[in-house]
Amino acid sequence: MDSHGQVEQRVVWSVVDSGIGPLLLAATREGLVSVVFHATDTVRDRAVERLASRLGTEPVEDPGSPMLAEAIRQIAAYFAGERRDFDLPLDWSLISGFNREVLRELASGVPYGTVVGYGDLAGRVGQPGAAQAVGMAMGANPLPVVVPCHRVVESGGGIGGFGGGLETKRRLLALEGVLPEPLF
């Protein structure tokens, strides 16, 4: 507790290997708060600085933290093909409003091995004309992979954009059996 009797915010992070390269996972007492793709040293350092700024406390590298242990285990099982769903507490504090509503619907309503169109997802949250806003929400997703923005595609059959890069999106969709594995 701090000097005012308030529980201090604690943020822990770790970089883990995955089938799509290093991922930075960060958690608070409430749950997993951030997943960052391509967590090389430079990307990692920027992500930790951003978390410090947004959450008001200096994140601490602590791969053995109980707050991260289950997330690390479930991410490893997902990439090993042993897990289809994540069962983790999530801290939604980095996102709000429409974006949070869309991401919650995505997390609960688009299962492993399926895809949804941007417009279809907009309709599910009562905003049928907001496909472009759904795209913006996907780009703002602080919890990719766990909140599966890679499952959102263009209605005409195109793969759409992806903050982790299109090759990463293809690999995640191939892992889930939506796309064939690349030949080389």
Side-chain angles (χ1 to χ4, degrees):
M1 291 203 176
D2 67 14
S3 61
H4 302 290
Q6 300 292 315
V7 175
E8 290 183 72
Q9 173 76 294
R10 177 162 157 80
V11 180
V12 294
W13 64 271
S14 181
V15 173
V16 298
D17 289 325
S18 75
I20 54 171
L23 296 174
L24 180 138
L25 305 179
T28 66
R29 285 183 175 88
E30 288 74 40
L32 190 65
V33 72
S34 182
V35 176
V36 178
F37 291 115
H38 314 299
T40 59
D41 291 349
T42 304
V43 170
R44 179 203 63 216
D45 292 346
R46 277 196 315 254
V48 170
E49 286 174 21
R50 239 182 354 264
L51 285 167
S53 171
R54 302 261 329 264
L55 297 173
T57 189
E58 192 63 37
V60 176
E61 184 175 15
D62 188 359
S65 166
M67 295 178 351
L68 281 176
E70 185 60 17
I72 291 169
R73 190 186 70 71
Q74 288 189 29
I75 289 279
Y78 171 80
F79 282 104
E82 299 163 358
R83 174 173 277 281
R84 293 176 162 233
D85 301 305
F86 293 97
D87 182 23
L88 297 168
L90 301 178
D91 179 339
W92 293 95
S93 64
L94 294 178
I95 197 138
S96 62
F98 176 80
N99 290 356
R100 184 187 291 190
E101 185 179 357
V102 168
L103 291 171
R104 283 181 181 264
E105 173 59 30
L106 174 63
S108 65
V110 183
Y112 182 97
T114 65
V115 295
V116 64
Y118 293 94
D120 294 334
L121 190 53
R124 289 185 186 192
V125 297
Q127 301 289 327
Q132 191 170 6
V134 166
M136 299 295 284
M138 296 306 104
N141 182 3
L143 296 160
V145 181
V146 176
V147 177
C149 52
H150 60 277
R151 296 180 190 154
V152 183
V153 297
E154 295 174 349
S155 60
I159 195 169
F162 194 61
L166 292 181
E167 183 56 31
T168 299
K169 186 171 187 172
R170 284 186 192 96
R171 290 174 66 190
L172 289 166
L173 291 172
L175 173 70
E176 295 189 9
V178 175
L179 292 176
E181 289 286 343
L183 296 175
F184 44 88

